[in-house]
């Protein structure tokens, strides 16, 4: 247990048994044994330096791509949103953003400086840390092509600047040095008409919002699109729109979204995800791969297979 090891030095907020349903866009999931909201980067370093070596760690942005199982997180969750919030133009055409900054804010900040290339971030309802971890993208833009360098931290609180070459970024998938998490990024942008560019993305977003169940608890697209096709098309062609397991339902508006109708459990979500994947594979012979990350234990104190 973490207990009270030098906790007087910490300036952030430490919670025990914090319901994760409060922190993820699907609004389901059991409690995190320990949940830490650092005050700032120095406080995060202090927290990590005191952390027992065996304590499991999970990094959380805005929880917009995460399914937390009902048994919760048997370890410590670090919440970056609300901390790691710096956002500055560090040099010409270069912006530094902390991992906790909302992507939408970065998009607007860049546009305000007449920098273009990052406006697609307006379509990602997560943090910059989450966008780096997922290689988030929208409207033809993706996170990693903009990255000039990233700052990471390890579980001992050691900070490092790393180059894009240290990471392999693919479609909604990123691999990099083990045991390091993102605390900041420097984005390389281009000069242009920021306002016009952001207005174009906003028009695209409005159109997208007509075809997606925005406003209902979801995690966006559950599955990645297979090469040359769309997961939503494959799911819809199986007649799965509107299919429910408990309080989890395949959206009637967009078949690659699963909605929490209010009383869903994470087990409902996971069962429905599995059923959709199995049906698509049986009908189309295509194995869909999940975009959403599933974390935690199925039952409290259980295993996280
Ligand atoms: C309505 C809706 C629409 C969406 N549309 C899109 C879209 O158009 N394009 C798209 O790409 N995605 C989309 N998403 C999915 C989601 O917003 C993105 O994947 C986003 O990048 C996740 O960011 P987050 O901060 O919420 O991450 P979280 O959900 O909090 O975390 C996601 C993963 O990243 C890891 N992580 C988070 N922060 C860090 C960090 N600092 N360092 C290392 N790892 C970290 C987490 O541990 C987890 O594994 C949508 C989601 C919703 C709800």
């Amino acid at each position: 247990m973490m207990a009270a090891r030098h906790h007087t030095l910490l300036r952030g907020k430490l919670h025990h048994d914090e319901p994760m349903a409060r922190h993820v866009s699907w609004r389901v999931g059991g409690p995190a044994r320990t949940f830490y909201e650092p005050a700032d980067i120095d406080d995060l370093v202090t927290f990590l330096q005191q952390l027992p070596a065996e304590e499991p760690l999970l990094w959380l942005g805005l929880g917009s791509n995460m399914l937390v199982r009902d048994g919760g997180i048997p370890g410590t969750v670090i919440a970056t949103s609300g901390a790691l919030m710096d956002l500055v133009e560090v040099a010409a055409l270069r912006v530094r953003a902390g991992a906790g900054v909302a992507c939408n804010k970065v998009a607007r900040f860049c546009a305000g400086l007449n920098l273009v290339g990052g406006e697609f971030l307006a379509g990602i309802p997560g943090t910059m840390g989450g966008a780096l971890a997922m290689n988030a993208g929208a409207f033809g833009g993706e996170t990693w092509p903009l990255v000039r360098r990233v700052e990471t931290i390890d579980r001992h609180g050691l900070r490092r600047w790393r180059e894009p070459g240290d990471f392999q970024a693919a479609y909604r998938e990123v691999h990099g040095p083990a045991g390091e998490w993102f605390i900041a990024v420097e984005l390389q942008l281009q000069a242009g008409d920021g306002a016009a560019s952001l207005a174009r993305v906003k028009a695209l977003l409005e159109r997208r919002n007509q075809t997606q169940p925005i406003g209902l608890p979801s995690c966006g697209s559950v599955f990645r699109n297979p090469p040359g096709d769309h997961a939503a098309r494959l799911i819809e062609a199986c007649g799965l729109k509107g299919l429910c397991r408990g309080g989890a339902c395949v959206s009637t508006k967009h078949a690659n979204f699963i909605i929490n109708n209010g009383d869903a459990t994470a087990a409902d979500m996971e069962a429905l995800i599995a059923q959709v994947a199995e049906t698509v594979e049986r009908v189309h012979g295509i194995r869909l791969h999940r975009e959403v990350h599933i974390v935690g234990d199925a039952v409290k104190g259980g295993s996280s297979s």
Side-chain angles (χ1 to χ4, degrees):
M1 278 296 284
M2 304 243 336
R5 274 220 214 170
H6 311 299
H7 276 167
T8 46
L9 294 175
L10 294 174
R11 291 173 289 113
K13 290 190 197 137
L14 184 66
H15 311 260
H16 295 287
D17 276 334
E18 174 69 12
M20 286 298 288
R22 285 189 194 153
H23 301 282
V24 297
S25 58
W26 246 337
R27 304 275 167 243
V28 298
R33 191 169 68 203
T34 307
F35 188 96
Y36 193 62
E37 298 176 86
D40 53 33
I41 183 62
D42 293 334
D43 183 58
L44 174 60
V45 169
T46 309
F47 180 79
L48 290 170
Q49 285 170 344
Q50 305 180 164
L51 200 69
E54 67 284 1
E55 178 70 3
L57 268 186
L58 174 72
W59 288 63
L60 174 75
L62 282 168
S64 63
N65 217 339
M66 212 187 261
L67 176 59
V68 179
R69 291 190 173 108
D70 299 309
I73 308 289
T76 294
V77 172
I78 304 224
T80 62
S81 171
L84 314 185
M85 297 300 276
D86 51 317
L87 183 56
V88 281
E89 188 182 24
V90 280
L93 309 182
R94 228 189 296 160
V95 164
R96 175 190 156 103
V101 181
C103 294
N104 179 39
K105 195 169 171 192
V106 177
R108 283 184 284 119
F109 181 77
C110 294
L113 296 168
N114 276 327
L115 299 177
V116 299
E119 53 280 2
F120 72 89
L121 290 167
I124 316 289
T127 60
M128 277 315 299
L132 290 166
M134 300 298 304
N135 194 18
F139 312 123
E142 262 186 0
T143 304
W144 275 85
L146 298 180
V147 173
R148 188 185 165 98
R149 55 181 190 153
V150 289
E151 191 177 11
T152 67
I153 195 165
D154 68 16
R155 60 173 304 126
H156 308 293
L158 184 67
R159 297 164 66 174
R160 295 181 182 85
W161 280 102
R162 288 202 174 270
E163 305 296 315
D166 294 331
F167 297 84
Q168 294 85 48
Y171 167 52
R172 306 295 175 266
E173 195 174 345
V174 177
H175 299 284
E180 291 179 33
W181 297 276
F182 302 110
I183 51 174
V185 60
E186 264 183 33
L187 301 171
Q188 181 72 52
L189 300 140
Q190 294 140 39
D193 184 342
S197 182
L198 193 57
R200 268 196 304 279
V201 163
K202 290 218 163 123
L204 290 170
L205 258 175
E206 269 161 36
R207 239 177 295 154
R208 189 175 86 167
N209 291 352
Q210 285 159 16
T211 58
Q212 293 183 355
I214 302 305
L216 298 172
S218 83
C219 73
S221 294
V222 172
F223 297 101
R224 297 183 232 171
N225 289 323
D229 210 334
H230 285 97
R233 189 196 74 77
L234 296 166
I235 297 166
E236 187 169 353
C238 294
L240 296 177
K241 266 187 164 178
L243 176 74
C244 296
R245 291 288 288 263
C249 298
V250 177
S251 165
T252 50
K253 209 166 176 188
H254 190 296
N256 199 16
F257 278 54
I258 289 180
I259 301 302
N260 175 359
N261 271 346
D263 59 354
T265 62
D268 293 338
M269 294 290 180
E270 209 170 346
L272 187 58
I273 291 170
Q275 187 175 349
V276 168
E278 279 157 24
T279 310
V280 167
E281 186 160 20
R282 182 164 39 76
V283 173
H284 300 290
I286 294 174
R287 171 152 279 281
L288 292 178
H289 296 285
R290 273 196 328 262
E291 181 177 321
V292 63
H293 288 189
I294 301 184
V295 294
D297 284 347
V299 288
K300 204 164 181 200
S303 92
S304 50
S305 64

